[in-house]
Amino acid sequence: MKLMILGGDGFCGWPTALHLSARGHDVMIVDNLSRRKIDVELEVQSLTPIASLTDRLEAWQRVSNNKIEARILDVSKDFDAFTALLADYKPDAVVHFAEQRAAPYSMKTAHHKRYTVDNNLNATHNLLAAIVETGLDIHVVHLGTMGVYGYGTAGMQIPEGYLNVKVDAGENGEVETEILYPANPGSIYHMTKTQDALFFQYYAKNDNLRITDLHQGIVWGTQTEETKKDPALINRFDYDGDYGTVLNRFLMQAAIGYPLTVHGTGGQTRAFIHIQDTVRCVELAIENPPERGDRVKIRNQMVETHRVRDLADMIAEMTGAEIDQVDNPRNEADENDLHVSNDSFIELGLDPITLDKGLFEEVTEITKKFADRCDRRRIPCDSLWTSVDGNPNDPNK
Ligand code: NAD
Ligand code: USQ
């Protein structure tokens, strides 16, 4: 197939591009390098030394004999150039990773909120409008988030996108129907993903676009089979207070002897998936598209759920690290349960990597190896969810 990867220079996009190229597909990366520029803004670098995009692509051609093409383009702004590129390249599928994905970054200031909304909503909408403009039948595979559901489910299992409900219809009695699971975002970033979902519903209904929305949990790990093949192919590893995600942060903190930063009681339960499974799931989603006229296909892309304090305990036991319960900078429930259905990928043959299988390798091969690249000043999370003094979790606010 011919595949276009929007955001193909990022943490999930780069290993996905390599994986799909290794499977024999023609791959083109489209990226505006905004993630690298945000590192400059935040005065931080990936824990792993990442090569320039040009060096990455040359290294991939050297080790695989496959050429990945790349275009530097802002999907949220350069609509005409992007539409022309789509019309010229004629991909069978576009995988859309090209959004600002850090919740803390999206909450920093009004500027960061507006940037996240402008960038993410326009990138998604430009992609959909451009496909309609070209008249091509292109399958869109979007990377969404488990966070669209919210995390408090009162004991029920989160279904894959749609919820069966019974409604009291007065004299017509009880009516059963299926609705899009009610959106409950916990940050401006997560809110953009809930709004993406409405764009998808509309374009699937009005223009018969074929769309898969992958509701992904927190990705952990660094390397995949392909990124291990050459030092210039290494994937990025974010550890800072804005972009570092919880499990990778804890692994890095343990490696440098920094007490694990558990927010509040650590009772937050979240869904997790290893980066190797991310790339496999995207491949499975591409191979199993919806038909034209189908509703948006929503798949939950996660493997297991864990409570933050249990992760901290697990890593502390494995490494001897200390645990520090810090004030929670976020406005989120201190404690929640989370049960998630991931039947759709399991049925397609995903054989998932679980924490118990992968953690040790991650600690020794990545976090310890690159520990001296860490700037400890960048570890604390200083983006607050509310600007009001006092406890940001006060339920009265
Ligand atoms: P990332 O920031 O590492 O990568 C995103 C890439 O998109 C970057 O290379 C960036 O330069 C590019 N980009 C952003 N806006 C663009 C634009 N307007 N035009 C062109 N390129 C643009 O993020 P990631 O961790 O790889 O996440 C990718 C996607 O997966 C995101 O949409 C995110 O919401 C989703 N996701 C990520 C995780 C995770 O834990 N990392 C979990 C669930 C879902
Ligand atoms: N947390 C800590 N200590 C830390 C960092 C985080 O306790 O040092 C807590 C947070 O308060 C939160 C949980 O860990 O309760 C998860 O935080 P995170 O930063 O690992 O993940 P999150 O902000 O939810 O965002 C990440 C990705 C985002 C993706 C989302 C999937 O950055 O792109 O959409 O995971 S999900 O969480 O399933 O919605």
Side-chain angles (χ1 to χ4, degrees), residues 101 145-147 151 189-190 218 246 249 261 263 330 332:
R101 68 101 176 134
T145 175
M146 285 299 305
Y151 308 103
Y189 153 71
H190 286 100
I218 300 170
V246 62
R249 272 167 65 77
T261 52
H263 291 168
R330 306 186 184 203
E332 62 184 359

Side-chain angles (χ1 to χ4, degrees), residues 248-264:
N248 277 7
R249 272 167 65 77
F250 286 177
L251 292 170
M252 180 279 307
Q253 291 168 355
I256 64 160
Y258 192 104
L260 311 183
T261 52
V262 169
H263 291 168

Side-chain angles (χ1 to χ4, degrees), residues 7 10-12 31-32 34-35 74-75 101 119 189 193 217 219:
F11 170 61
C12 298
D31 201 296
N32 66 350
S34 54
R35 181 67 194 87
D74 189 326
V75 183
R101 68 101 176 134
N119 186 66
Y189 153 71
K193 294 286 183 175
V219 182

